[in-house]
């Protein structure tokens, strides 16, 4: 049982002490990048459960690898092109003198993950990869307050039945520990039950943060409606345009191994809010982050943090969909336009 005091003051992942988030997007491109960073390096790991991931520098986040702390994490649109956003973030961090010390050199450690938004109505006819510049701009914009919905990595995202987006949420546990989540929702599965009104994860909503309609009173919801996203994608002869990428974080001191368990458990939040999740055509991935220092959390505390992270991630998914806004050239409507 998770004992919760409240949402964090911002209801954002930046309620976790030390974290900042920056967004950058190009409206004509219909794509963008989101960066999570901190004033000092932080501990992180990752767990991938989708069948089609796109990643950079994630191998070093395994518990048995040497580097223990990183400088930033990147969530980006652009499919494989979007991985270059990490290079822009590295440029900015190097200019700040940040990075892993190797002799006289400092090498910023910036793992990242991408989602597919190349077929979403935006202009993708570029001569030079735009994502490096977007990564640098997102880092420069990093702050404790940031926008949700059709911004950053969520700019061109789509879920099965409505436009996707960037979501975030936080919780403060009874012992004062803060847990938060950040997610770019671009799923093959649906975030809403048949009829488009009720969110699968409605039972976890706090204070009407995504509309307050409550759970769907219907039962036996095991036959999903035909996906509007998939129908639109098949006009381009592909259904491979998916992936939900996320970060969960806490200010409790966790080891790299504990951060890995945090990421593993947080995937429950995706499964509760997206139906289906973790498919062969999604690259679903969760990073686990700790900004704390001192005595590591014991098993009981870690259990509560992990459970809270899954709940935060479910709520963040719904907020990303709820906060999405319409834009010129959209090929799928927003949740609020449907309701």
């Amino acid at each position: 049982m998770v004992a919760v005091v409240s949402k964090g003051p911002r209801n954002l992942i930046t309620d976790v002490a030390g974290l900042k988030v920056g967004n950058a997007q190009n409206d004509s491109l219909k794509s963008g990048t989101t960066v999570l960073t901190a004033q000092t390096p932080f501990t992180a790991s990752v767990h991938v459960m989708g069948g089609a991931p796109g990643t950079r520098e994630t191998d070093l986040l395994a518990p048995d690898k040497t580097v223990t702390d990183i400088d930033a994490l990147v969530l980006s649109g652009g499919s494989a092109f979007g991985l270059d956003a990490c290079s822009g973030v590295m440029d900015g961090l190097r200019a700040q003198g940040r990075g892993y010390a190797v002799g006289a050199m400092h090498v910023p450690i910036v793992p990242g993950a991408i989602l597919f938004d190349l077929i979403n109505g935006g202009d993708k006819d570029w001569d030079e990869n735009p994502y490096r510049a977007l990564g640098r701009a997102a880092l420069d914009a990093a702050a404790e307050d940031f926008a949700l919905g059709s911004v950053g990595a969520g700019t061109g995202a789509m879920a099965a039945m409505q436009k996707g987006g960037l979501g975030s949420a936080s919780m403060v546990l009874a012992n004062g520990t803060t847990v938060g989540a950040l997610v770019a929702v671009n799923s093959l599965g649906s975030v809403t039950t048949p009829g488009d009104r009720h969110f699968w994860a409605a039972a976890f909503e706090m204070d009407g943060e995504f509309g307050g309609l409550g759970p769907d009173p219907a039962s036996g919801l095991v036959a999903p409606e035909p996906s509007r996203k998939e129908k639109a994608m098949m006009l381009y002869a592909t259904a491979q345009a998916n992936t939900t990428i996320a970060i969960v974080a806490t200010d409790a001191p966790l080891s790299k191994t504990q951060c890995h368990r945090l990421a593993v458990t947080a995937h429950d939040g995706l499964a509760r809010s997206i139906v289906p999740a973790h498919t062969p055509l999604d690259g679903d991935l969760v990073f686990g982050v700790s900004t704390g220092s001192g005595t590591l959390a014991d098993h009981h505390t870690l259990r509560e943090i992990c459970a809270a992270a899954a709940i935060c991630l479910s709520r963040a998914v719904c907020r990303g969909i709820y906060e999405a806004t319409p834009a010129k050239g959209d090929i799928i409507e927003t949740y609020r336009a449907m309701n």
Side-chain angles (χ1 to χ4, degrees):
M1 189 71 178
V2 178
V4 181
V5 173
S6 65
K7 298 181 299 187
R10 298 180 185 86
N11 198 20
L12 299 172
I13 196 171
T14 47
D15 287 325
V16 175
L19 293 182
K20 295 182 179 181
V21 170
N23 291 317
Q25 58 275 333
N26 180 313
D27 292 334
S28 63
L29 186 69
K30 275 191 180 294
S31 187
T33 296
T34 297
V35 175
L36 179 138
T37 189
Q39 291 291 86
T40 57
F42 52 90
T43 306
S45 191
V46 67
H47 188 62
V48 181
M49 288 189 69
T55 61
R56 172 167 160 164
E57 294 274 46
T58 50
D59 282 355
L60 61 79
L61 297 178
D64 64 325
K65 299 302 185 286
T66 301
V67 173
T68 56
D69 296 320
I70 66 170
D71 298 290
L73 289 169
V74 173
L75 307 179
S76 184
S79 188
F81 299 104
L83 293 174
D84 205 34
C86 298
S87 298
V89 176
M90 288 184 71
D91 291 343
L93 289 169
R94 185 174 185 273
Q96 298 173 20
R98 295 280 300 274
Y100 184 76
V102 185
M105 290 294 296
H106 287 80
V107 182
I109 308 299
V110 185
I114 49 86
L115 55 82
F116 187 103
D117 59 1
L118 296 180
I119 304 173
N120 63 359
D123 180 8
K124 306 302 193 297
D125 187 23
W126 64 72
D127 292 322
E128 181 178 338
N129 189 325
Y131 288 95
R132 187 170 190 140
L134 286 169
R136 180 67 179 267
L139 177 69
D140 291 343
E144 291 180 338
D145 291 306
F146 60 95
L148 301 180
S150 302
V151 295
T155 300
M158 294 183 287
M161 305 307 290
Q162 57 276 116
K163 194 170 179 180
L166 186 77
S168 191
S170 67
M171 294 169 63
V172 181
L173 305 186
N175 65 2
T177 297
T178 299
V179 179
L182 177 70
V183 62
V185 188
N186 187 61
S187 56
L188 182 146
S190 176
V191 177
T192 52
T193 63
D196 302 319
R197 285 178 54 78
H198 297 276
F199 289 95
W200 288 108
F204 302 109
E205 184 176 15
M206 299 178 70
D207 300 329
E209 62 194 338
F210 42 88
L213 291 178
D216 194 328
S219 61
L221 302 175
V222 295
E225 294 179 299
S227 167
R228 297 187 184 99
K229 175 181 178 177
E230 189 168 14
K231 181 179 179 181
M233 292 299 96
M234 289 310 296
L235 295 176
Y236 302 92
T238 181
Q240 301 180 42
N242 311 298
T243 291
T244 297
I245 46 179
I247 304 168
V248 293
T250 182
D251 55 5
L254 301 182
S255 67
K256 200 174 180 184
T257 299
Q258 289 175 317
C259 283
H260 180 255
R261 178 49 49 186
L262 178 67
V264 169
T265 310
H267 273 281
D268 291 351
L270 295 184
R272 293 168 183 161
S273 58
I274 300 170
V275 179
H278 309 127
T279 78
L281 299 180
D282 285 283
D284 295 348
L285 168 154
V286 179
F287 293 103
V289 165
S290 167
T291 63
S293 60
T295 303
L296 295 177
D298 58 25
H299 291 306
H300 175 79
T301 302
L302 180 62
R303 181 186 70 188
E304 288 203 341
I305 292 169
C306 288
I311 292 171
C312 278
L313 186 47
S314 289
R315 294 166 49 222
V317 166
C318 300
R319 293 192 77 200
I321 301 296
Y322 184 75
E323 297 294 343
T325 52
K328 182 180 179 180
D330 284 351
I331 61 176
I332 192 167
E333 284 191 295
T334 64
Y335 170 83
R336 283 196 265 188
M338 297 174 181
N339 292 280

